[in-house]
Amino acid sequence: MSYINYMKDFTPETVSGELEPLKVNNHLHTPYSFSAFATVEEALDQALEENVQVVGVNDFYTFEAYQKWCSGAFKRGLYPLFNVEFIGINQEDKKNGFLINDPSNPGRIYISGKALAYPSVLSDDDQRVLDDIMVLNNQRSEEMTQKLNDWFKEVGFGYELNFDDIKRNLTSGHVRERHLALAIRLLAEKHYHYTERLLGFYLLLFGNKCFESNLHSSAGMENEIRSALLKAGKPAYVEENPDAFAPSSVIKEIILKAGGVPTYPFLADAVKGYTDFERELHKVKEGLKRRNIYSVELIPTRNSHQVLKEYAVYLRKHGFVVSFGTEHNSPGKQPIEVMAKGGVPLDDELLQINYEGACILAAHQYLFAKDGKGILNETGVFIQERREEFFQLGNSLIKHVTCKKELHGVD
């Protein structure tokens, strides 16, 4: 069932106009890219347990989770948002060594698309662009798997990884670095049951270099594996194919064609000293508007509450749609409720900003599904003078779903 079919009985008059904010997490990865969750259902169940009532799926390059996200969210009385994430490139910034929101790779830029159409409205040609990127990413992961096996032989480890098994058993078809790290950890724990032998294995694998993580911390050891084996200059590193990074202008066009809102993900103080692009907020504001980007997001778990508030309030004041999420694209259990670094709860103003952003995006998702146009004008600019109207509509949409007593049907 499509998103709009679930909303067919909606009219703004059926819901109270009260604007009391609900908890929102608008950036969650699922197993269709890499996720802390084993299934889509696990993510939605945790959101329900924590009373996070607006949930946005945000996988890399793919819309494959949308069907389960849509039916699962409505079944639980949660409001779903359909998002996607890309990694693009600005060649001029790369040439100039200019860091945007990738702290290690000049010119590389992460871009999210928020509130896309479901079912997808992309043309076959545009979908092929995304499919080709996923093929290239899988090819790189397969090459890294072979280099891992070569390294295993070099250090005297008598086992090897099978790429097809990893793809079939640990992924939903898209193999990323984190899947390889997971596969190595599982392989080690399968063959080395005693702490001393497991420690010896990792020391051997890492070239007798010490590591900081607890040996029995799944998340910690997978991060250690990535750092020691899969990153630039390490034994299994394979340089990424330049064709896997579309120009940011192409990514924005794909997002718009998919019915979504191009969105810039901030690092802010997640990086010591900030990146070149993000160092001065007034310049970021102008830079984003020059790029025709009027929606931004932050991942508060990596930001201090003070900096999070500074950025969110400033950007909201200057006309941007602001939303928050947690990603959950690394191993280990963590809350779905959005909090600042160190588990600091969001204050009332930040809760309101996050909820308003989700409402505006919900309005876009609904209007585009119903009428083919949402909160952006024909040139992709946010229709600022209708901001309050979009906020009110989105609030009604969300409350229509979350306030219902009965469960929606499932496909």
Side-chain angles (χ1 to χ4, degrees), residues 388-407:
E388 183 63 24
E389 175 191 340
F390 295 140
F391 180 19
Q392 295 276 357
L393 173 60
N395 175 65
S396 293
L397 288 160
I398 290 169
K399 299 290 175 62
H400 173 73
V401 172
T402 60
C403 292
K404 279 194 170 184
K405 303 293 183 185
E406 69 277 11
L407 297 178

Side-chain angles (χ1 to χ4, degrees), residues 145-155:
T145 303
Q146 184 55 56
K147 294 190 77 170
L148 284 167
N149 287 334
D150 293 342
W151 180 247
F152 291 167
K153 291 178 184 176
E154 186 170 330
V155 300

Side-chain angles (χ1 to χ4, degrees), residues 81-101:
L81 292 169
F82 306 107
N83 313 317
V84 69
E85 187 168 7
F86 301 94
I87 308 174
I89 193 77
N90 287 336
Q91 291 297 341
E92 189 67 23
D93 290 330
K94 180 179 179 180
K95 178 181 175 182
N96 294 330
F98 189 76
L99 293 170
I100 307 172
N101 60 359

Side-chain angles (χ1 to χ4, degrees), residues 5 19 26 35-36 85 154 156 238 259-260 282 357 367:
N5 283 339
L19 296 174
N26 196 27
S35 177
E85 187 168 7
E154 186 170 330
V238 173
H282 69 281
L367 291 170

Side-chain angles (χ1 to χ4, degrees), residues 160-175:
E160 63 178 25
L161 299 170
N162 182 288
F163 178 79
D164 291 332
D165 286 347
I166 294 171
K167 184 177 179 181
R168 180 172 54 253
N169 299 325
L170 299 182
T171 81
S172 296
H174 306 144
V175 184

Side-chain angles (χ1 to χ4, degrees), residues 118-138:
Y118 170 68
S120 174
V121 294
L122 273 188
S123 69
D124 290 343
D125 287 343
D126 287 325
Q127 183 60 54
R128 197 171 298 115
V129 172
L130 306 188
D131 294 342
D132 288 347
I133 290 173
M134 295 309 303
V135 168
L136 291 173
N137 284 329
N138 273 357

Side-chain angles (χ1 to χ4, degrees), residues 346-397:
L346 304 185
D347 65 21
D348 289 345
E349 186 173 18
L350 288 174
L351 286 171
Q352 184 66 30
I353 288 172
N354 190 28
Y355 182 62
E356 183 208 41
C359 287
I360 293 171
L361 293 170
H364 175 85
Q365 188 169 277
Y366 176 76
L367 291 170
F368 189 92
K370 191 166 71 74
D371 303 324
K373 54 184 178 181
I375 67 170
L376 308 177
N377 68 16
E378 291 76 9
T379 60
V381 175
F382 178 45
I383 307 171
Q384 190 69 240
E385 62 271 20
R386 295 180 62 190
R387 185 184 192 106
E388 183 63 24
E389 175 191 340
F390 295 140
F391 180 19
Q392 295 276 357
L393 173 60
N395 175 65
S396 293
L397 288 160

Side-chain angles (χ1 to χ4, degrees), residues 283-329:
K283 290 184 179 179
V284 179
K285 172 194 69 175
E286 297 304 325
L288 290 174
K289 290 183 176 180
R290 279 197 303 272
R291 290 169 165 83
N292 245 22
I293 295 177
Y294 298 87
S295 172
V296 299
E297 64 176 340
L298 293 107
I299 309 299
T301 51
R302 61 193 186 194
N303 302 126
S304 68
H305 193 280
Q306 178 183 348
V307 170
L308 174 67
K309 185 154 184 173
E310 175 190 356
Y311 272 59
V313 170
Y314 179 90
L315 292 162
R316 164 63 182 82
K317 177 183 177 182
H318 288 276
F320 291 90
V321 178
V322 182
S323 62
F324 305 148
T326 57
E327 290 195 318
H328 272 75
N329 69 336

